Amino acid sequence: MKKPSEDLGVFLSIGNRDHKAKVIFFKNNEDFKNYSIDIIEEFKKEFAVYPEWIKIDFITKKISIEFQNLRKNLIETRRNYINYGFSLDEEFELAFLPEEINANAFVRPKKGEKTTFYLSRNNINGYLEKHRTTQKRYDRKDFNDKIVTQFFTKGFILDNNKGYELKSNGYEKGLRVVEDLHDEIDRMIYSATCFLKNEIQSNGKYIYGYFPHFDKKINFYNNLRHSSSTYSLIEGLSYINESLESVKKPIEYIIENYLYVKDGKGYIFDDTKNTNEIKLGQNAAFIFAICEYLKHEKNEEYLKAAQLVAEGTVNMINDNGETVHVLSYPTLEVKERYRIVYYDGEAALGLLRLYQHDGNKKWLNAVKSLFEKFISRDYWRYNDHWLGYCANEMVNIIPDRRYFELGIKNVSTNLTYIYKRETTFPTFMEMLTASYKLVQKAKEKGYGDLVESLIDEDFLIMTLHKRADYQRTGYFYPEIAMYFKNPNRILGAFFIKHHGYRVRIDDIEHYVSGYIQYQNLFKS
């Protein structure tokens, strides 16, 4: 472990999966060397176990700053993306690492406003009262005219007796440095797949998710995400060579409770908070979840259910590819002709997957009509990962040049944005991998000129590898989870940082699916 050359102070964070981390500041390296072992022994006395994780952060730089400017910087930074610490006093009793600031929601949105933020006195003082020994407290009026300290750190973590260096700069601040990215991604796929499997309850319904700042469950549900997450869970279990037995419950939960059949046509409805509606994308997600299962296991009951829902889905698409996005349940009256563009891509993918399983031309003809609409209306503008999946598979059946063009433009027009994007945005990986496969097929089919004119293939590959590494910033490593209220709840899961570190089944779904596609392409 190489310490920074300047001796500006050290933070020691110690914890385990059952306890929020204790954070102690040492004013210099000598104090850290002399007293850190005593702190660890005190932890052992309090909790009857040694800390599982020991994290050390050396201060590398200090900046004097007016409090008002610090506060302005904090509330104007993207939510939970603060990558520096601050101290409100010279003694560093009111000093906080960036991980503490983010994990304890020191900066939070105003009630009823998603885009207006403030520095929360309640959250800062609540943290001080429960997790620090100081009697000092934060009150904005006490600091308005003060000069305070902004600081930057270099971190290291000892995780179960293995040490890792943590990155220091930018949006990757705190991300562990790994020797082999593919091995690391395999570990993440394994832990996140197991996490998702463990969220299945006895009735087959998932625990929908958590806001982990204060260990709150998300009190909502969505049957579309239930099905799409089941699809990803099947992918994950297959990838890690585990039994698919566990996914029968979530599949049967939908069939037994939310499959509505009328006049020989099936629909998946949702009654969450009395919405009582049938969504086109909801039908589609159910179909491709079933089709993913049928890749590995035969099940006539599941196949019949998927075919019934395909009949209902086709009933929501006319011969020109025009779709109805939402029907009322149980009347089947049109509730909304349009809700979100991604339903169309999902519908095409669901029907195409079923066609590849049962060969029914009815499904393929519906997909062809959808593709004509996608082409005529420039659906590539929406940069839809479902469309990326679908185009990649459609050309296996009908290698139409226009389908290749649609699929390649779906990613190429957004590639620079994807490369630079600071949020993890896991659906990007799904779109990138599908597009990479599509590009290879285009060249095999003699459409190399199309590839050359539409996309920089080297940049596509560079973007794929960059995003694969960067997406790890959305994974609950111990060095992040340890600062939250209940580390054990979230450890090994994926999250969406700018949505309050949200851990939701469909968030995990997109990370897992994208990473599996990436590994299948590049791991060798």
Side-chain angles (χ1 to χ4, degrees):
M1 182 178 75
K2 187 178 179 182
K3 293 181 288 188
S5 55
E6 288 192 85
D7 191 359
L8 300 175
V10 188
F11 287 87
L12 173 68
S13 302
I14 53 177
N16 59 33
R17 62 191 63 222
D18 295 318
H19 304 100
K20 187 184 184 82
K22 287 181 172 291
V23 183
I24 299 93
F25 175 71
F26 299 92
K27 63 183 179 181
N28 54 52
N29 293 344
E30 190 65 27
D31 282 357
F32 169 70
K33 183 179 175 182
N34 290 336
Y35 302 116
S36 58
I37 297 300
D38 294 340
I39 299 293
I40 291 168
E41 289 297 335
E42 286 176 18
F43 184 97
K44 167 73 161 54
K45 285 180 183 177
E46 183 176 355
F47 298 114
V49 291
Y50 281 110
E52 198 175 343
W53 310 311
I54 299 172
K55 181 167 170 281
I56 304 165
D57 288 277
F58 296 97
I59 296 179
T60 57
K61 184 179 181 181
K62 290 181 178 178
I63 299 172
S64 295
I65 183 173
E66 291 183 3
F67 171 76
Q68 292 286 42
N69 289 336
L70 172 72
R71 179 179 158 275
K72 183 173 184 288
N73 291 345
L74 289 167
I75 64 178
E76 289 180 358
T77 299
R78 183 185 288 276
R79 186 183 180 193
N80 300 317
Y81 275 76
I82 292 159
N83 60 8
Y84 55 83
F86 66 82
S87 179
L88 300 177
D89 63 338
E90 292 182 1
E91 298 78 25
F92 268 60
E93 288 184 56
L94 294 179
F96 309 100
L97 290 166
E99 292 87 348
E100 294 176 278
I101 298 166
N102 292 325
N104 294 285
F106 284 7
V107 180
R108 58 167 301 150
K110 289 185 177 179
K111 195 168 185 178
E113 298 182 42
K114 292 183 178 180
T115 57
T116 306
F117 296 87
Y118 70 102
L119 196 56
S120 172
R121 181 178 65 181
N122 288 344
N123 287 0
I124 294 172
N125 289 335
Y127 179 67
L128 287 168
E129 287 166 14
K130 293 175 184 175
H131 302 286
R132 292 287 184 86
T133 56
T134 182
Q135 297 303 306
K136 294 181 178 179
R137 295 293 179 262
Y138 164 72
D139 194 321
R140 178 178 165 185
K141 69 179 187 300
D142 296 335
F143 297 96
N144 278 338
D145 299 321
K146 298 283 179 66
I147 300 295
V148 296
T149 304
Q150 183 180 9
F151 62 84
F152 298 84
T153 58
K154 174 66 180 177
F156 303 85
I157 187 166
L158 192 65
D159 175 10
N160 279 321
N161 297 317
K162 185 171 182 182
Y164 296 91
E165 178 187 354
L166 306 177
K167 296 185 181 183
S168 303
N169 300 317
Y171 294 120
E172 292 185 316
K173 161 73 178 167
L175 179 65
R176 66 171 59 179
V177 177
V178 297
E179 294 176 4
D180 188 313
L181 180 60
H182 290 295
D183 283 351
E184 189 65 18
I185 290 172
D186 273 350
R187 280 191 284 273
M188 292 192 296
I189 291 171
Y190 180 85
S191 73
T193 298
C194 293
F195 183 95
L196 192 54
K197 183 177 77 170
N198 291 336
E199 296 305 285
I200 300 170
Q201 301 173 96
S202 59
N203 65 352
K205 186 178 181 179
Y206 292 92
I207 297 172
Y208 193 53
Y210 307 94
F211 288 118
H213 286 303
F214 306 112
D215 196 29
K216 298 281 180 70
K217 282 186 180 179
I218 298 174
N219 295 317
F220 188 67
Y221 212 69
N222 181 310
N223 282 344
L224 190 160
R225 292 171 183 149
H226 172 108
S227 292
S228 61
S229 299
T230 302
Y231 160 79
S232 178
L233 178 56
I234 297 164
E235 276 189 304
L237 291 170
S238 174
Y239 184 82
I240 65 176
N241 295 313
E242 281 203 9
S243 166
L244 299 185
E245 188 65 27
S246 60
V247 300
K248 289 182 179 178
K249 278 186 176 181
I251 289 173
E252 288 163 10
Y253 169 80
I254 294 293
I255 292 174
E256 291 168 8
N257 296 287
Y258 292 101
L259 173 58
Y260 174 59
V261 181
K262 185 174 182 180
D263 299 329
K265 299 175 178 64
Y267 306 88
I268 305 300
F269 70 93
D270 199 340
D271 57 4
T272 302
K273 294 189 176 180
N274 296 314
T275 52
N276 295 324
E277 61 185 25
I278 293 158
K279 299 191 282 277
L280 182 67
Q282 197 162 271
N283 288 345
F286 174 78
I287 295 168
F288 57 69
I290 295 294
C291 290
E292 191 64 25
Y293 182 88
L294 295 175
K295 283 183 184 177
H296 308 284
E297 306 275 353
K298 285 186 177 180
N299 190 303
E300 288 302 316
E301 179 196 352
Y302 293 179
L303 175 59
K304 183 180 177 184
Q307 289 168 331
L308 279 169
V309 175
E311 291 286 359
T313 301
V314 169
N315 196 44
M316 297 170 75
I317 306 167
N318 72 15
D319 292 341
N320 297 319
E322 300 297 334
T323 52
V324 173
H325 280 189
V326 189
L327 302 176
S328 292
Y329 165 80
T331 63
L332 301 184
E333 293 174 354
V334 174
K335 183 176 182 179
E336 291 178 39
R337 290 203 168 273
Y338 177 86
R339 178 169 290 179
I340 187 167
V341 72
Y342 305 119
Y343 285 178
D344 288 356
E346 281 180 295
L349 181 62
L351 293 171
L352 189 59
R353 290 275 173 90
L354 186 57
Y355 168 74
Q356 290 173 92
H357 188 81
D358 71 5
N360 187 336
K361 288 285 179 66
K362 187 174 189 177
W363 321 139
L364 179 61
N365 289 335
V367 176
K368 285 163 69 176
S369 70
L370 284 168
F371 262 75
E372 291 304 315
K373 181 176 77 170
F374 296 159
I375 292 165
S376 66
R377 297 189 189 170
D378 293 337
Y379 263 55
W380 53 264
R381 291 178 293 127
Y382 304 115
N383 309 118
D384 176 12
H385 70 286
W386 298 119
L387 183 58
Y389 273 137
C390 203
N392 176 57
E393 294 179 33
M394 188 64 165
V395 297
N396 294 335
I397 302 161
I398 306 170
D400 189 322
R401 181 183 176 92
R402 298 175 307 145
Y403 297 168
F404 284 105
E405 182 176 357
L406 174 71
I408 294 170
K409 288 171 78 172
N410 186 52
V411 70
S412 64
T413 53
N414 207 34
L415 202 51
T416 300
Y417 175 81
I418 293 171
Y419 184 85
K420 294 179 178 179
R421 183 66 182 175
E422 64 269 28
T423 62
T424 51
F425 225 119
T427 55
F428 282 164
M429 181 57 68
E430 294 179 272
M431 185 165 64
L432 289 166
T433 51
S435 301
Y436 175 83
K437 287 185 271 191
L438 185 68
V439 163
Q440 307 317 308
K441 290 172 187 175
K443 292 190 294 185
E444 290 167 12
K445 293 293 182 182
Y447 298 134
D449 62 313
L450 198 61
V451 173
E452 287 185 20
S453 66
L454 292 178
I455 195 165
D456 181 338
E457 189 179 352
D458 289 338
F459 186 48
L460 170 64
I461 295 168
M462 188 191 312
T463 303
L464 265 161
H465 295 321
K466 183 190 176 188
R467 297 304 301 184
D469 190 29
Y470 186 74
Q471 273 191 182
R472 295 190 300 119
T473 62
Y475 178 74
F476 268 123
Y477 283 111
E479 51 266 34
I480 305 172
M482 68 191 296
Y483 294 97
F484 286 82
K485 183 175 181 178
N486 185 357
N488 196 43
R489 180 92 72 197
I490 53 178
L491 191 65
F494 289 106
F495 60 83
I496 303 297
K497 187 185 286 191
H498 61 287
H499 289 311
Y501 287 89
R502 184 188 70 200
V503 177
R504 204 169 67 188
I505 56 173
D506 59 307
D507 298 328
I508 297 169
E509 161 205 337
H510 293 302
Y511 280 102
V512 168
S513 288
Y515 268 140
I516 287 173
Q517 301 309 315
Y518 177 79
Q519 292 290 79
N520 288 339
L521 284 171
F522 298 109
K523 185 181 172 184
S524 60

